[in-house]
Amino acid sequence: MASQIPGRRIGIASPISMPEEVEALAASGATEFYCGVAVESWAQRYGNLAWLNRRGVGAANPNLDALRRLVVEANRFAIPVAVALNSPFYTASQLPDIVALCRDLADVGVRRVIVSDPGLILALRASGSTLAISASSVAAIRNSQACEFYRDLGVQRVILPRHMSLGDIQRIKERAPDLEIEVFVLNDGCTYEEGSCATTHAAGAFCLTEWSYAFARFDGAPLSGEERGALDRNVTDYKEWIWYLSNCGHSSSARRLPNGPCGLCAIWDFCRVGVDCLKIVGREAHPHRKLLSLQLVKTVVEQVEQGASKEQAGDFARELRETPDLCDSNYMCYYRDGSGKER
Amino acid sequence: MIDTVPEQKQTVWTNPPPLPGLRGARVYYGPEFCETLLPTPKALLEAYRSRARTFAAFTFVTPPVGEDGLAKLQVLLGLLAQQDQPVEVVVNDWGVLRLVAAMRDRCQPVLGRLMNKMLRDPRITPRIAGESLLAEAVLASQQSALTSQLFSGLLRSHGIATVELDNLYQGIDMDFDGLGLRPSLHVPFGFVASGPACFQAGMHQPKTKKFSNDTPCRLECQTYIGQMTDSAAPGRQAPLLTQGNTVFYRQDAALVERGLAWAQAHGARVVLHQTPFGEGYATENIDLARSWVEAQHG
């Protein structure tokens, strides 16, 4: 079947954390890089209570010198680099340091910052910064009016959060056509909405904690056997769902391809509705995992660009993964309404 | 989507009638965390009219929404804008704020708790004030983006005069007068994390339908509540509750009292909750709030 996809190409944003990763990721199809940045003075002032970009200093964030080398390498392949400054908020006393950091970022050749906090966006605009700004998924922009809100602030791109439906992504793209849209496509799920989560991973991931549950009815009546059974089964299933979100227990397929949250089947639809960029998650992942993740995404994108139908692209993605049992669970899908198979 | 539940059940909330003394308070009606629970236009109008007989003022609380929720809210807000008295609308979504700001003469926007990002993780926050942590770090945990004049100016430009906060173990240290904003403090439950995937809705669904943004809802959150404990870390138990799509921490008596004293000192109003997910009641009368909490929560 001939492709219904227009000719424009969809981008792939790959996570990166060191200059040595650039060449292989560039050769495997990355069109954009994003990373964090480590600032020692920030860590000394705030410790683990206020991370600069939702990661600690040691968690695969390059320092400014390494970032400079990373950008130089990326420039060899004409691949722009974005830096995440995506803490849910910054206080008034923190903003001047971050605005100064952004000047340094621009000086080393960073093109874009990924920001959640409207206060930082306004501060960057007030400073005259020329960095492009993506609204982070942490901003939890789930509808077209929220897109317009961030566009009015000066954002050029919105990274939509997890837990979006394909239908909403399409409508957002139609109703906010002047904004670039980036969507999650692979790895690292999240139990809650990042932007509605007030915990910190500095104490261990709240959502991955092995919680025990004790349920009660509001009306004070004892739980029936049926209710207790349904609640217990739900907890068991919930823990299994979290296992999927946690990259299927950080497992790999027989061909060592990384398992975990996945939107490969939805790539055909993303191309059709005009999504601008696919986001692979995992700044702190092992370089090999980043590379394999990118190759997975790029291979499916190529299938779509070469004219695969929606069904063909979905079948191809599932075969590529070689984990039909994981795919059939539904729990590994970022976009359950976009999976290649109707289940 | 609401699954096999009659429409009128959407108006059923779990709260018992408020104490007589709260009859002069402001009522908080609406689903703060869950788009699925948005009332029908008929239910909203019934709620507005019935509560007008009991309470001094009406606040419509709105959740984060996708495109469908946005369309529903456009209708609901339009209805509220036609009522005799202007209403407050708590917004927990920047897109919803944009809608409300456009009708601010009839619908006064309030910045919701989900929009006022602060550290609420009760595994950590009770220890912050008691440990010799870095002073700047402690202060940052007691503040939010509100402290930025640019941010607070943005809020004011959208018609926001009141901002909602949870009562935090580490305390709150912000100059609201200087920011031109009025605080509104929630007691005795604070949220920890929320999201589109509903934990409890899964209990009545086949496995493959669970934990999605479109898992059918049978209003399980109106019947059940779960207490969460970390069996691997008995030394740092936090009083956590899960209801619907959200996890809450229950503020202990000492924290509630600290919060009420803070509210009194800062001219804040207090939003009282019988259950984490249900209706709320806002009052500036701190003595009344104190007696209500003691009566309801011990």
Side-chain angles (χ1 to χ4, degrees), chain A residues 144 163 175 195 212 227 331, chain B residues 67 117 207 210 213 224 229:
Chain A
S144 50
H163 303 293
R175 293 168 186 174
S212 299
E227 288 174 311
Y331 287 2
Chain B
E67 290 294 294
K117 322 284 186 188
K207 190 171 175 181
K210 297 183 180 199
N213 53 6
Y224 306 101
T229 50

Side-chain angles (χ1 to χ4, degrees), chain B residues 188-230:
Chain B
F189 303 105
F191 92 89
V192 177
S194 186
C198 181
F199 170 63
Q200 285 180 330
M203 70 178 282
H204 291 124
Q205 299 302 325
K207 190 171 175 181
T208 55
K209 293 275 190 189
K210 297 183 180 199
F211 318 126
S212 170
N213 53 6
D214 65 350
T215 299
C217 168
R218 294 190 191 178
L219 302 179
E220 290 85 355
C221 60
Q222 305 298 294
T223 303
Y224 306 101
I225 190 164
Q227 183 165 324
M228 298 163 59
T229 50
D230 181 1

Side-chain angles (χ1 to χ4, degrees), chain A residues 192-259:
Chain A
Y192 305 104
E193 178 71 80
E194 281 180 289
S196 300
C197 179
T199 75
T200 170
H201 283 210
F206 182 89
C207 52
L208 300 184
T209 299
E210 279 281 320
W211 299 105
S212 299
Y213 294 88
F215 291 98
R217 290 180 59 100
F218 280 114
D219 61 9
L223 294 171
S224 69
E226 187 180 348
E227 288 174 311
R228 192 170 295 283
L231 288 162
D232 287 347
R233 275 193 304 279
N234 200 47
V235 168
T236 301
D237 293 340
Y238 186 72
K239 289 179 177 176
E240 183 176 336
W241 178 58
I242 290 172
W243 179 84
Y244 277 90
L245 300 186
S246 184
N247 296 321
C248 301
H250 300 283
S251 64
S252 302
S253 70
R255 284 193 295 156
R256 298 194 174 280
L257 295 171
N259 294 327

Side-chain angles (χ1 to χ4, degrees), chain B residues 16-67:
Chain B
L19 291 178
L22 282 182
R23 287 183 182 277
R26 169 181 289 278
V27 63
Y28 266 44
Y29 173 88
E32 190 174 8
F33 301 97
C34 178
E35 172 179 356
T36 305
L37 295 176
L38 278 172
T40 61
K42 181 180 170 202
L44 177 62
L45 285 181
E46 283 177 358
Y48 177 82
R49 288 168 185 151
S50 67
R51 283 151 182 81
R53 291 192 287 272
T54 307
F55 295 100
F58 187 88
T59 295
F60 181 42
V61 188
T62 65
V65 293
E67 290 294 294

Side-chain angles (χ1 to χ4, degrees), chain B residues 254-284:
Chain B
L255 177 59
V256 169
E257 183 49 41
R258 278 210 310 276
L260 294 175
W262 182 90
Q264 191 136 39
H266 291 81
R269 73 182 185 194
V270 178
V271 185
L272 303 161
H273 293 273
Q274 175 70 29
T275 65
F277 233 53
E279 235 166 68
Y281 313 104
T283 179
E284 288 83 18

